[in-house]
Amino acid sequence: MGIRVYLAAMAAAVLIPLVALSGFGLDRLLKAEQAAAIRGVLEMARAVSLAADQELVSAEAALRVLATSAYLKAEDIASFHDQAMAARTTEAGWIVLYDEAGRQVTDTRYPFGAMPATATPAPAWPQAPAYGRALISDLHRSTDTKRFIVTIAVPVTVAGRPHSIVQAFEASYFERVFAERKVPGNWTVGIFDRDHTTITRSTRAADFVGEPGSADLRHAATNAAEGSLRDRSREGADVYAVFTRSPRSGWLVAIGVPVEGLDAYAERAVALAALATLAIIALAASIVLLLGRRLSRSIASIAAATAALGRGEALPPYAASVRELDQVRVALDNTHAALERETDLRARAEAERLQLFESEQAARQAAEQQNRAKDEFLAMLGHELRNPLSAISGAVALMKSASAQEEHRLHARDVITRQTQHLSRVVDDLLDLSRVMTGKVVLEFAPIDLAEVAAHCLDSMRAAGRVGAHQVRFTAEPVWVNADATRLEQIIVNLLSNALKYTPQDGRVEMHVEAQAEAALLRVLDSGLGIPKHLLPHVFDIFVQGEQSLDRAKGGLGIGLALVQRLVQLHGGSVTAESPGDARGSIFTVRLPRVAIPARNSDAIPRADAHGRKLRVLVVDDHEDSRTMLRLLLEQTGHEAIEAVDGIDGVQLALSRRPDAAIIDIGLPGINGYEVARRLRALPTAANTGLIALTGYGQDEDRYRALEAGFDLHLVKPVGADRLVQALLEVTRTRSVAPRNEAANKT
């Protein structure tokens, strides 16, 4: 911000409070003028209301005189009719005598005895006339003339029976009060009954008599006997509506005054004051500009010298002006000399510090990443080992059972075979990686056809059922390499397994073998999940994997690609990974040195999980072998088993089948086991169902989360048949007595 701006701000600091104070005073003056004008309008409204009341008072006085008529006491209605004709207060009104049934006895509009049969019945008042009280009606339409009228009634007794003497007025009668008060022509005066219906109006009365008044005016008049508001007239103009309500009749008198009429004078005064204020501000700004120009030149010179000092350049020439600024220039000259001596030392120190900081940051990040990878690997390893061990344990328990059927024993044997092979492969991968990283692996090189080995690996995986429903395409040409057949097969199987694992069941996987100059190329392509950009540079690092959900649907330890890279390097080759991005597949390319002679190999894969009165037990596990073995084990021990492949299916079966107990895996697709337990505990029908968490996650935190979610027991895979039977007895017995805490203590 420039010095001239600062000077302007200083001037503004003085002027703005004055301007604000002036504005406040003008606003108060404007409001006072408006209030005075509104008070004048209110006085006019009171005068109109009083004039209307006077008409009603005159009519009431005439009616009360008639109520004492001797003719009524003598029941001489004909003479009373003549007396009533003389007592009318206006030609626009007439007097009617009603009997107790509301029938007309006589009406001054007609000669006595000539009253028509369709004469107007007595009007409906809020309550029947009472002795000593006159009642004034709201506006209503006469049944014989069809014109709008208002009436005032006085009670009287004739021949011992209650009658009413009523004087009726046409609504137009009250227009006379406007002329008598000389209402300005641009004002609109309206008289409204208690129901806020228009009785008469100073302008366009014929258009609005009998119509309801403004809703805003009605609301305001409901809450106050007098007041004003800004409203919109029936003609669509903005007006100040000033109103007062008669305490005698309850009628409302409202006057609408055009807004511009009240506001014009005050607004002109405010405009003049505003122009004067702007003129003062303009004068102050001119003075600030004149004073600031000279000062800003001097400060600009000092700023240029300061900038040159910062860049390490010679200071520009300076013309003396303001004493304080001259002192600043001298200080800058001295500082320039000192800074030149220190600049080189600071630059060298900063460069050294930055280098140390970057090294420390890199080392810290590497250590944190390695520590994270180690923790994730240990969790993955526990999960990958417990699932097959659980299935093996259940199969062994089933085979030991004396009552097991032969087909169940055969199925259990197949499960044990598959899961043992899976465990063997996991352990082999771990040991191989360890040996490769420590340089202890020994390769037995021999000439071998890469195409033949690739075809053999693919055939072995098909036979083991590891290809599934994937579309697999294989093309190859004979190309020979000098390699260890077992390790070469391990490279190919790991790459194919990785492609199949991250490709949907209806996806495509391709493997191509070809010769290229002095190299043999093995390329594995897939249409699967692809590799995120941030993960691509680290895809061959140990323990690195894409993000896994709690159910660990993809499985694996994150060591396969690391092992591939190291084995390829031991063969004198290289491996690269490419991916267009998420959900666009990936390509792995292995390059090995070509040779001119032949050789061959194979492999396979598996899956896993686990094992009074007859109980109905719900088994929720997405692992087919584990679920099947657990079902067979439960049936073998005399219980009824219900299978569910995911959390949603489990909740639905619990609702429809109402099991005594449920054995639930934690890692499930859709919703996990914790959510299944929470939903079951929220069901009234599952209040006594015992819940057992059977999972490969076995840390203290996992146990705590299970109990908190509503499980009665937390068991870690694999679990023996005896322990499973005992757990079922515990949770069903505990649930029937005291649901959760006792089960938690037993765990």
Side-chain angles (χ1 to χ4, degrees), residues 92-103:
W94 61 94
I95 297 173
V96 184
L97 176 65
Y98 290 98
D99 64 14
E100 60 184 339
R103 295 185 298 269

PDB file of all heavy atoms in Angstrom, residues 92-103:
ATOM      1  N   ALA A  92     -81.249   7.481   4.003  1.00  0.00           N
ATOM      2  CA  ALA A  92     -80.525   6.280   3.551  1.00  0.00           C
ATOM      3  C   ALA A  92     -80.659   5.144   4.553  1.00  0.00           C
ATOM      4  O   ALA A  92     -80.056   4.095   4.384  1.00  0.00           O
ATOM      5  CB  ALA A  92     -79.050   6.601   3.322  1.00  0.00           C
ATOM      6  N   GLY A  93     -81.446   5.353   5.581  1.00  0.00           N
ATOM      7  CA  GLY A  93     -81.628   4.307   6.575  1.00  0.00           C
ATOM      8  C   GLY A  93     -83.090   4.042   6.824  1.00  0.00           C
ATOM      9  O   GLY A  93     -83.948   4.859   6.505  1.00  0.00           O
ATOM     10  N   TRP A  94     -83.413   2.941   7.420  1.00  0.00           N
ATOM     11  CA  TRP A  94     -84.789   2.601   7.755  1.00  0.00           C
ATOM     12  C   TRP A  94     -84.820   1.810   9.045  1.00  0.00           C
ATOM     13  O   TRP A  94     -83.795   1.256   9.468  1.00  0.00           O
ATOM     14  CB  TRP A  94     -85.459   1.828   6.619  1.00  0.00           C
ATOM     15  CG  TRP A  94     -84.796   0.517   6.281  1.00  0.00           C
ATOM     16  CD1 TRP A  94     -85.101  -0.694   6.747  1.00  0.00           C
ATOM     17  CD2 TRP A  94     -83.699   0.344   5.390  1.00  0.00           C
ATOM     18  NE1 TRP A  94     -84.282  -1.641   6.230  1.00  0.00           N
ATOM     19  CE2 TRP A  94     -83.403  -1.025   5.367  1.00  0.00           C
ATOM     20  CE3 TRP A  94     -82.936   1.238   4.590  1.00  0.00           C
ATOM     21  CZ2 TRP A  94     -82.391  -1.544   4.587  1.00  0.00           C
ATOM     22  CZ3 TRP A  94     -81.930   0.710   3.817  1.00  0.00           C
ATOM     23  CH2 TRP A  94     -81.661  -0.673   3.815  1.00  0.00           C
ATOM     24  N   ILE A  95     -86.019   1.802   9.687  1.00  0.00           N
ATOM     25  CA  ILE A  95     -86.156   1.178  11.004  1.00  0.00           C
ATOM     26  C   ILE A  95     -87.104   0.001  10.868  1.00  0.00           C
ATOM     27  O   ILE A  95     -88.149   0.080  10.218  1.00  0.00           O
ATOM     28  CB  ILE A  95     -86.667   2.189  12.045  1.00  0.00           C
ATOM     29  CG1 ILE A  95     -85.644   3.319  12.224  1.00  0.00           C
ATOM     30  CG2 ILE A  95     -86.954   1.495  13.376  1.00  0.00           C
ATOM     31  CD1 ILE A  95     -86.128   4.453  13.114  1.00  0.00           C
ATOM     32  N   VAL A  96     -86.709  -1.121  11.527  1.00  0.00           N
ATOM     33  CA  VAL A  96     -87.486  -2.360  11.470  1.00  0.00           C
ATOM     34  C   VAL A  96     -87.684  -2.858  12.898  1.00  0.00           C
ATOM     35  O   VAL A  96     -86.758  -2.810  13.706  1.00  0.00           O
ATOM     36  CB  VAL A  96     -86.779  -3.436  10.630  1.00  0.00           C
ATOM     37  CG1 VAL A  96     -87.648  -4.686  10.506  1.00  0.00           C
ATOM     38  CG2 VAL A  96     -86.427  -2.897   9.256  1.00  0.00           C
ATOM     39  N   LEU A  97     -88.893  -3.348  13.174  1.00  0.00           N
ATOM     40  CA  LEU A  97     -89.185  -3.990  14.458  1.00  0.00           C
ATOM     41  C   LEU A  97     -89.278  -5.495  14.205  1.00  0.00           C
ATOM     42  O   LEU A  97     -90.029  -5.956  13.344  1.00  0.00           O
ATOM     43  CB  LEU A  97     -90.517  -3.473  15.038  1.00  0.00           C
ATOM     44  CG  LEU A  97     -90.957  -4.148  16.342  1.00  0.00           C
ATOM     45  CD1 LEU A  97     -89.981  -3.846  17.474  1.00  0.00           C
ATOM     46  CD2 LEU A  97     -92.377  -3.673  16.704  1.00  0.00           C
ATOM     47  N   TYR A  98     -88.446  -6.275  14.951  1.00  0.00           N
ATOM     48  CA  TYR A  98     -88.423  -7.743  14.822  1.00  0.00           C
ATOM     49  C   TYR A  98     -88.980  -8.362  16.097  1.00  0.00           C
ATOM     50  O   TYR A  98     -88.737  -7.861  17.210  1.00  0.00           O
ATOM     51  CB  TYR A  98     -86.992  -8.254  14.628  1.00  0.00           C
ATOM     52  CG  TYR A  98     -86.404  -7.913  13.290  1.00  0.00           C
ATOM     53  CD1 TYR A  98     -85.567  -6.807  13.138  1.00  0.00           C
ATOM     54  CD2 TYR A  98     -86.664  -8.715  12.174  1.00  0.00           C
ATOM     55  CE1 TYR A  98     -85.016  -6.499  11.917  1.00  0.00           C
ATOM     56  CE2 TYR A  98     -86.105  -8.413  10.953  1.00  0.00           C
ATOM     57  CZ  TYR A  98     -85.284  -7.305  10.820  1.00  0.00           C
ATOM     58  OH  TYR A  98     -84.727  -7.011   9.608  1.00  0.00           O
ATOM     59  N   ASP A  99     -89.707  -9.472  15.924  1.00  0.00           N
ATOM     60  CA  ASP A  99     -90.184 -10.189  17.112  1.00  0.00           C
ATOM     61  C   ASP A  99     -89.126 -11.159  17.590  1.00  0.00           C
ATOM     62  O   ASP A  99     -88.017 -11.227  17.040  1.00  0.00           O
ATOM     63  CB  ASP A  99     -91.515 -10.891  16.819  1.00  0.00           C
ATOM     64  CG  ASP A  99     -91.368 -11.981  15.749  1.00  0.00           C
ATOM     65  OD1 ASP A  99     -90.209 -12.363  15.443  1.00  0.00           O
ATOM     66  OD2 ASP A  99     -92.391 -12.443  15.211  1.00  0.00           O
ATOM     67  N   GLU A 100     -89.460 -11.922  18.610  1.00  0.00           N
ATOM     68  CA  GLU A 100     -88.475 -12.809  19.219  1.00  0.00           C
ATOM     69  C   GLU A 100     -88.023 -13.913  18.271  1.00  0.00           C
ATOM     70  O   GLU A 100     -86.941 -14.499  18.439  1.00  0.00           O
ATOM     71  CB  GLU A 100     -89.066 -13.438  20.487  1.00  0.00           C
ATOM     72  CG  GLU A 100     -90.336 -14.276  20.215  1.00  0.00           C
ATOM     73  CD  GLU A 100     -90.952 -14.806  21.492  1.00  0.00           C
ATOM     74  OE1 GLU A 100     -90.227 -14.879  22.499  1.00  0.00           O
ATOM     75  OE2 GLU A 100     -92.128 -15.105  21.490  1.00  0.00           O
ATOM     76  N   ALA A 101     -88.810 -14.219  17.209  1.00  0.00           N
ATOM     77  CA  ALA A 101     -88.432 -15.262  16.244  1.00  0.00           C
ATOM     78  C   ALA A 101     -87.649 -14.668  15.083  1.00  0.00           C
ATOM     79  O   ALA A 101     -87.312 -15.389  14.145  1.00  0.00           O
ATOM     80  CB  ALA A 101     -89.683 -15.968  15.720  1.00  0.00           C
ATOM     81  N   GLY A 102     -87.352 -13.387  15.106  1.00  0.00           N
ATOM     82  CA  GLY A 102     -86.584 -12.765  14.038  1.00  0.00           C
ATOM     83  C   GLY A 102     -87.443 -12.360  12.859  1.00  0.00           C
ATOM     84  O   GLY A 102     -86.914 -12.037  11.793  1.00  0.00           O
ATOM     85  N   ARG A 103     -88.775 -12.345  13.000  1.00  0.00           N
ATOM     86  CA  ARG A 103     -89.670 -11.946  11.906  1.00  0.00           C
ATOM     87  C   ARG A 103     -89.949 -10.449  11.993  1.00  0.00           C
ATOM     88  O   ARG A 103     -90.065  -9.887  13.088  1.00  0.00           O
ATOM     89  CB  ARG A 103     -90.985 -12.724  11.976  1.00  0.00           C
ATOM     90  CG  ARG A 103     -90.816 -14.231  11.743  1.00  0.00           C
ATOM     91  CD  ARG A 103     -92.204 -14.896  11.722  1.00  0.00           C
ATOM     92  NE  ARG A 103     -92.886 -14.734  12.992  1.00  0.00           N
ATOM     93  CZ  ARG A 103     -92.809 -15.612  14.004  1.00  0.00           C
ATOM     94  NH1 ARG A 103     -92.063 -16.706  13.878  1.00  0.00           N
ATOM     95  NH2 ARG A 103     -93.472 -15.412  15.134  1.00  0.00           N
TER      96      ARG A 103
END
